[in-house]
Amino acid sequence: IGDRNKFYAPHGRFYLLREEQVFVGVGALQRIDAMTAEIQRMFVQPPSRGRGAARLLVDRLLDDARAMGCDEVRLESLKSLAAAHALYRSVGFVEVLPHDDNRMRHYQDEAALDAYRDSAVFMVLCLRRGRHERAGPDEPGVVRTGSGRGARERRGADGPAG
């Protein structure tokens, strides 16, 4: 998270989702090359699931990928996360074969990498073909929904918190 070339503008984005005064989710986008970005670190705490928090994050990350000029967004997700896959499919992602330049190869030996590929789902969204509507207000980095106890806010970061 401290690597400014990974998740922060202009190379990527990093968001925390907050309900009331508690952080309940995270989502990050990293530029892979001039035309491709990858969603990473998408997670919402179980008590906050099913209320649109993950949708808020994925919508913003896809909007950001478009604003960065990307034509394609990809992601990797463990096979056990079926609800996440349904969310990704609902915005246009499709399953593909494992990416040849999978970033895990930098961290694992070949045997472990094969096991990882077997445990993961690889997905891609072509932004030129898919339609994806902007969610939330135009204020960069902040999205609020609802009021009172059920209110949600998503705050983006232009750099590491300090």
Side-chain angles (χ1 to χ4, degrees):
I1 299 215
D3 180 355
R4 294 193 64 78
N5 291 320
K6 192 168 186 177
F7 295 129
Y8 301 104
H11 310 287
R13 302 294 187 273
F14 180 81
Y15 294 98
L16 294 173
L17 183 72
R18 184 173 66 189
E19 288 181 343
E20 301 288 322
Q21 298 302 315
V22 178
F23 290 105
V24 299
V26 63
L29 184 73
Q30 180 183 12
R31 181 185 292 277
I32 302 300
D33 60 37
M35 304 308 286
T36 309
E38 184 172 76
I39 291 178
Q40 298 181 357
R41 313 293 189 270
M42 274 284 297
F43 179 78
V44 174
Q45 294 284 349
S48 296
R49 293 178 186 165
R51 299 192 312 226
R55 168 78 58 181
L56 214 67
L57 286 170
V58 78
D59 283 346
R60 182 55 188 240
L61 292 170
L62 293 175
D63 287 343
D64 288 342
R66 280 192 182 80
M68 291 165 55
C70 295
D71 288 340
E72 180 179 283
V73 178
R74 65 186 189 186
L75 61 85
E76 300 168 15
S77 178
L78 294 176
K79 286 182 179 178
S80 61
L81 302 176
H85 306 155
L87 170 67
Y88 300 138
R89 283 187 194 95
S90 76
V91 296
F93 279 90
V94 295
E95 284 188 46
V96 295
L97 294 173
H99 314 295
D100 288 334
D101 59 346
N102 173 283
R103 296 198 176 275
M104 295 299 284
R105 70 180 168 15
H106 299 291
Y107 309 107
Q108 298 182 355
D109 63 31
E110 197 60 38
L113 188 55
D114 287 341
Y116 171 73
R117 286 184 187 123
D118 289 341
S119 70
V121 172
F122 296 80
M123 302 181 95
V124 170
L125 171 64
C126 179
L127 296 175
R128 287 187 183 263
R129 284 191 308 232
R131 182 171 174 209
H132 186 78
E133 298 296 328
R134 180 164 184 75
D138 291 333
E139 182 183 355
V142 177
V143 173
R144 279 173 222 249
T145 60
S147 60
R149 187 167 168 80
R152 285 192 297 277
E153 176 181 276
R154 180 193 56 224
R155 183 166 301 280
D158 288 330

